[in-house]
């Protein structure tokens, strides 16, 4: 007997899988990549969790489907920020169901805890997700199973309902107790969660879609740097530290120039290629302001080889009107 689990890398989904594996069922842990999760050290963490509970890990990339079908027109709207959680969950379950059928698995598992997130994990929201993804009856939520209607796996006796949990609410006490019981180590996820729930990220997204069509290739650029919108509408991104400079340097997006200060150490920056000459000059000025440049001197900035001359602003406060975040 085999089950497919939606696996976020977090404690709840790890424990949910363990509760099923302990009943003699093989679990395929499917992590669905929408593009907006944090990437830092994540893969190693997920592999470590799966190894500890004995699940097989598989990453499924749905970035393109997610942008086309979920992110910009969610049937059930957004949460507090740019997060279409109900539609996103339904999409993830529909994808997991496809994998379940292809793998010959018998049911689905998720780590959701009733009432943990008041908006997206209340009873109605959980049921809506099941209806939207046609997974009603197929999805077992081991962490809260005793509080929910029995699923096919329990009705058929594949899983003993008595050995599942009845957790609800935001407290993690029972989860920590279970982690201790099974000797689970290093279970705190590294990095942040989904960027779509972040207020500043939502500001960047809202600004982006006012000016451009958002594509999969734009996702990496949204994750790093200080974001600015220039006078004629061009987008400028400036690395805030060495780590961000490194990430920006490696982004390959044909809609953007890479900017380099010549003969002067400075941040890595990117500017939309449809920028007017005035916006190129403004971008040069802004980037120079973040360097140790003197405002009475002229410097050269390369835009993928094309050169623009400029001087910095007298103060970083002059940049404020262009800053999104
Ligand atoms: S937090 Fe992000 S990944 Fe999770 S359901 Fe909401 S939109 Fe999807």
């Amino acid at each position: 007997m085999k089950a497919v689990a939606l696996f976020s890398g977090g404690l709840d989904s790890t424990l949910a899988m363990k509760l099923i594996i302990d009943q003699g069922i093989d679990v395929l842990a499917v992590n669905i990549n929408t593009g907006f999760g944090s990437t830092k050290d994540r893969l190693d963490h997920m592999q470590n969790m799966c190894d500890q509970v004995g699940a097989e890990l598989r990453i499924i990339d749905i970035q393109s489907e997610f942008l086309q079908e979920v992110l910009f027109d969610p049937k059930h709207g957004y949460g507090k920020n740019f997060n279409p959680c109900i539609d996103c969950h339904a999409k993830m379950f529909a994808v997991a169901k496809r994998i379940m059928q292809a793998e010959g698995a018998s049911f689905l598992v998720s780590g959701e805890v009733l009432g943990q997130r008041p908006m997206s994990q209340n009873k109605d929201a959980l049921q809506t997700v099941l209806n939207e993804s046609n997974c009603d009856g197929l999805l077992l939520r081991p962490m809260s199973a005793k509080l929910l209607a029995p699923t096919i796996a329990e009705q058929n006796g594949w899983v003993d309902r008595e050995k599942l949990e009845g957790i609800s609410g935001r407290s993690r006490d029972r989860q920590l107790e279970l982690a201790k019981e099974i000797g689970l180590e290093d279970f705190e996820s590294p990095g942040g969660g989904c960027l779509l729930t972040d207020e500043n990220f939502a500001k960047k997204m809202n600004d982006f879609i006012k000016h451009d069509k958002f594509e999969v290739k734009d996702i990496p650029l949204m994750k790093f740097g200080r974001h600015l919108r220039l006078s004629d509408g061009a987008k400028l991104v400036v690395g805030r530290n060495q780590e961000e400079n490194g990430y920006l340097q490696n982004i390959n997006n044909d809609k953007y120039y890479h900017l380099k200060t010549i003969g002067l150490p400075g941040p890595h920056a990117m500017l939309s290629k449809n920028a007017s000459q005035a916006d190129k000059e403004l971008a040069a000025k802004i980037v120079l302001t973040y360097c140790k440049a003197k405002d009475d001197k002229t410097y050269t900035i390369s835009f993928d080889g094309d050169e623009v001359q400029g001087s910095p602003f007298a103060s970083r406060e002059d940049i404020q009107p262009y800053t999104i975040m």
Side-chain angles (χ1 to χ4, degrees), residues 34 66 82-86 88-89 92 117 194-197:
T34 62
F66 185 70
F82 215 94
N83 49 318
C85 289
I86 293 182
C88 177
H89 271 142
M92 288 184 177
R117 295 194 186 113
C194 171
L195 288 167
L196 296 169
T197 61

Side-chain angles (χ1 to χ4, degrees), residues 238-309:
V238 185
R240 287 174 291 199
N241 52 43
Q242 227 173 348
E243 192 184 15
E244 289 194 340
N245 289 337
Y247 279 116
L248 289 173
Q249 241 155 28
N250 288 325
I251 289 177
N252 198 356
N253 185 327
D254 58 6
K255 294 196 288 189
Y256 289 84
Y257 294 115
H258 285 271
L259 274 60
K260 244 190 163 127
T261 46
I262 310 283
L264 182 74
H268 195 87
M270 294 177 76
L271 178 75
S272 38
K273 279 191 178 163
N274 58 6
S276 65
Q277 185 59 25
D279 272 357
K280 278 184 166 181
E281 286 166 14
L282 179 55
K285 214 170 174 50
I286 291 171
V287 172
L288 285 166
T289 310
Y290 287 116
C291 301
K292 284 187 178 143
K294 297 197 168 89
D295 61 2
D296 58 352
K297 276 186 77 177
T298 302
Y299 301 86
T300 304
I301 307 271
S302 156
F303 291 72
D304 284 344
D306 279 351
E307 293 185 350
V308 169
Q309 309 291 317

